């Protein structure tokens, strides 16, 4: 099943985000390479592709896991969680309809 994982950034965590990003991206690349990643990306804190020092409000990942528990465990092990970037992570089932 597909799961939507939404990580919510804390305040003033851009430096921690930048430091943890390579490890975060490596985990996403592993999902992609296994054919389990539908999409992933950050949510800019302002209405701009490159938010500069405003940073990000969080990130969204939609990926396939065997269960909700597996999806939650994967999300809890994210380097952004360990680095204190995400202050909250929501995980819920997702049913892609379009396109």
């Amino acid at each position: 099943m597909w799961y939507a994982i939404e990580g919510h950034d804390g305040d003033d965590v851009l430096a921690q985000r930048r430091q943890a990003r390579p490890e975060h991206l490596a985990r996403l690349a592993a999902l992609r390479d296994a054919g389990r990643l539908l999409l992933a990306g950050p949510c800019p804190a302002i209405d701009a592709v490159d938010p500069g020092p405003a940073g990000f409000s969080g990130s969204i990942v939609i990926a396939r896991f065997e269960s909700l528990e597996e999806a939650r465990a994967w999300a809890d092990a994210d380097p952004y969680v360990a680095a204190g970037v995400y202050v909250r992570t929501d995980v819920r089932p997702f049913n892609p309809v379009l396109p």
Side-chain angles (χ1 to χ4, degrees):
M1 171 128 194
W2 293 102
Y3 293 90
I5 300 169
E6 186 172 8
H8 302 269
D9 284 21
D11 294 330
D12 300 317
V13 295
L14 187 56
Q16 295 98 305
R17 179 182 262 274
R18 286 182 177 146
Q19 184 174 359
R21 188 170 190 260
E23 198 176 348
H24 171 79
L25 291 178
R27 294 178 81 234
L28 292 170
L31 285 177
R32 179 202 60 214
D33 294 348
R36 297 174 47 202
L37 183 64
L38 184 63
L39 66 85
C43 300
I46 60 173
D47 191 12
V49 173
D50 180 357
F56 300 90
S57 62
S59 302
I60 296 172
V61 173
I62 299 180
R64 187 184 301 273
F65 294 94
E66 290 296 319
S67 67
L68 180 58
E69 293 76 21
E70 183 184 326
R72 284 185 178 144
W74 186 90
D76 288 345
D78 193 292
Y80 283 172
V81 172
V85 175
Y86 292 160
V87 293
R88 187 176 96 239
T89 305
D90 299 324
V91 181
R92 57 191 178 272
F94 179 78
N95 188 19
V97 175
L98 294 172

